[in-house]
Amino acid sequence: MHDNQLTFAWRSPSNIAIVKYWGKHGDQLPDNPSLSITLSQAYTETTLVARPLNPNEAPGLTFRFAGEQNPAFAQRVAAYIRRLGSLAPAVKDYHLTIETDNSFPHSSGIASSASAMSALALCIAELQATIDGHTHDERFQREVSIMARLGSGSACRSVYGPASLWGSTEIMSGSSDEYAIPLSNIHPVFQSLRDSILIISEEKKQVSSSAGHALMQGHQFARARIAQATQNLKTLLPALHSGDIITFGRIAESEALSLHALMMTSDPAYILIQPNTLQVIQRAIAFRESSGTPVYFTLDAGPNVHLLYPESHEADVKAWINNELLPFCENGRVIHDHAGRGPQKVSSSTTLGMTKR
Ligand code: PMV
């Protein structure tokens, strides 16, 4: 081991957008403001070991995912680090060894970019902050959020729990297109919100999110979409503070359907939901209406369904999922998650000892 070697390790969660980010421009800047709940069980753990270069040695990168070399991911990580440029000049003085793993199975159909890119940004930002001599403070989190955004837009929101907002909007002071900000005074019902993720398909989606964002440029409904997202945010913020789950659920569902409607009206048009997505959605609505249980659906850019509900209804909702919904899930797979507090610094030994899944 090199004497001056530095090690950083972080666990960072995924997030689920309630008001969706869809469409981007410039340097990964959002076309509309978005708001998400930070999750906790679906996370990435990343360790970065930075070894000072020997004389005449060029900077380099060793990368392992789930304990194994992965050339495709390694290339993406190398391109990302180059892209950070002046945000992380310190990386040029080190050979970097990055080890990363997810708490959820890689092929589960869960988007891992938010957790992966935020965990990586945390490690690199901490390396830079250590060299610059500034400790973990608000500035550090903001720098992490900016760096995470450059890896994957939605990743910038994972830096804060239990909820965060990204995108400049006049209805939230301090909001920015460049980084997310934490939302304070969230009602306890949302601080412990449950999110059961029904895996309808484990397959990689046909059209990537990047391609989907690009199709929003010149989309016939682009202006209307920006107005809709802003209005939904305006309605959602007071509901988040007061604990109004009905308004929250109405917006979550409307946003999910709008996101997929935008895909279906893109040019070229495409469809990511599947028959079983609709089966689950229809059953969720019927269950809510017949039992009065406040359970609401939302979707990411894919066929999997997120069911959102208060912790107080956990037992009933899990029983209903087990009785009625498992046949619609690929291999009967459901991931039960909940709102969380955001990233955690971990000791490197924990990270390297992660079990492979
Ligand atoms: O962060 P990206 O580029 O993977 O985009 C994610 C977009 C959605 O997940 C569909 C919505 C969102 O705001 O997270």
Side-chain angles (χ1 to χ4, degrees):
M1 201 185 19
H2 199 287
D3 277 352
N4 300 319
Q5 178 166 294
L6 297 166
T7 301
F8 308 99
W10 285 89
R11 171 185 292 190
S12 190
S14 185
N15 66 72
I16 178 67
I18 306 304
V19 174
K20 314 285 179 186
Y21 145 58
W22 201 236
K24 63 179 172 181
H25 58 273
D27 208 0
Q28 198 106 294
L29 300 169
D31 288 351
N32 66 270
S34 59
L35 185 153
S36 57
I37 300 289
T38 305
L39 297 177
S40 71
Q41 300 304 296
Y43 60 80
T44 299
E45 271 191 17
T46 297
T47 299
L48 166 67
V49 179
R51 173 182 58 73
L53 297 175
N54 297 317
N56 302 324
E57 183 187 0
L61 173 69
T62 305
F63 177 83
R64 276 187 289 273
F65 175 70
E68 279 160 31
Q69 306 244 348
N70 185 320
F73 282 5
Q75 266 185 17
R76 272 190 67 182
V77 169
Y80 168 67
I81 292 172
R82 278 196 299 277
R83 188 171 179 195
L84 290 177
S86 62
L87 290 173
V91 296
K92 287 200 296 295
D93 300 327
Y94 293 91
H95 180 95
L96 306 179
T97 299
I98 295 172
E99 302 243 7
T100 190
D101 202 354
N102 293 335
S103 63
F104 48 92
H106 177 51
S107 64
S108 66
I110 290 212
S112 57
S113 64
S115 58
M117 297 319 295
S118 53
L120 182 57
L122 279 154
C123 291
I124 296 175
E126 197 185 7
L127 165 64
Q128 188 62 48
T130 304
I131 303 301
D132 292 345
H134 77 78
T135 47
H136 301 166
D137 51 14
E138 242 175 68
R139 176 174 141 202
F140 173 72
Q141 285 181 302
R142 180 164 294 182
E143 283 167 4
V144 173
S145 187
I146 292 173
M147 289 191 201
R149 182 197 99 232
L150 293 171
S152 167
S154 57
C156 75
R157 296 186 310 237
S158 279
V159 175
Y160 303 103
S164 65
L165 181 151
W166 170 40
S168 169
T169 168
E170 59 186 26
I171 62 176
M172 176 58 77
S173 67
S175 60
S176 169
D177 281 351
E178 291 186 31
Y179 47 82
I181 56 171
L183 294 174
S184 51
N185 300 322
I186 299 298
H187 190 277
V189 76
F190 298 118
Q191 290 188 33
S192 62
L193 191 76
R194 270 33 202 169
D195 178 6
S196 292
I197 310 166
L198 277 69
I199 307 302
I200 305 298
S201 169
E202 301 181 339
E203 263 175 47
K204 195 170 163 0
K205 54 196 178 205
Q206 301 294 312
V207 180
S208 71
S209 287
S210 305
H213 287 298
L215 289 171
M216 286 308 291
Q217 298 302 317
H219 192 292
Q220 58 184 324
F221 299 137
R223 279 167 72 112
R225 167 59 193 154
I226 295 167
Q228 179 196 39
T230 307
Q231 183 53 50
N232 279 342
L233 202 57
K234 220 176 196 160
T235 313
L236 179 60
L237 285 169
L240 276 180
H241 297 312
S242 68
D244 178 354
I245 187 103
I246 296 176
T247 300
F248 172 91
R250 184 168 55 73
I251 291 173
E253 295 192 345
S254 149
E255 280 282 318
L257 297 177
S258 291
L259 171 69
H260 285 264
L262 289 166
M263 297 174 192
M264 293 180 208
T265 49
S266 289
D267 182 15
Y270 63 106
I271 302 176
L272 294 184
I273 53 172
Q274 294 187 4
N276 282 348
T277 310
L278 286 177
Q279 288 280 6
V280 168
I281 287 177
Q282 303 283 32
R283 279 170 167 73
I285 295 169
F287 175 68
R288 181 169 74 227
E289 284 176 358
S290 64
S291 67
T293 310
V295 55
Y296 298 91
F297 69 85
T298 191
L299 305 165
D300 254 337
N304 301 326
V305 184
H306 291 244
L307 293 174
L308 307 172
Y309 51 94
E311 184 182 13
S312 55
H313 287 272
E314 186 162 17
D316 330 340
V317 174
K318 281 187 172 169
W320 162 65
I321 290 173
N322 287 337
N323 289 337
E324 203 177 320
L325 300 183
L326 294 189
F328 303 112
C329 302
E330 190 159 8
N331 299 318
R333 187 174 270 169
V334 180
I335 296 176
H336 296 290
D337 208 335
H338 54 84
R341 291 161 166 270
Q344 273 175 278
K345 194 167 160 55
V346 288
S347 71
S348 51
S349 54
T350 316
T351 309
L352 296 174
M354 275 181 84
T355 46
K356 281 211 271 167
R357 280 157 230 256

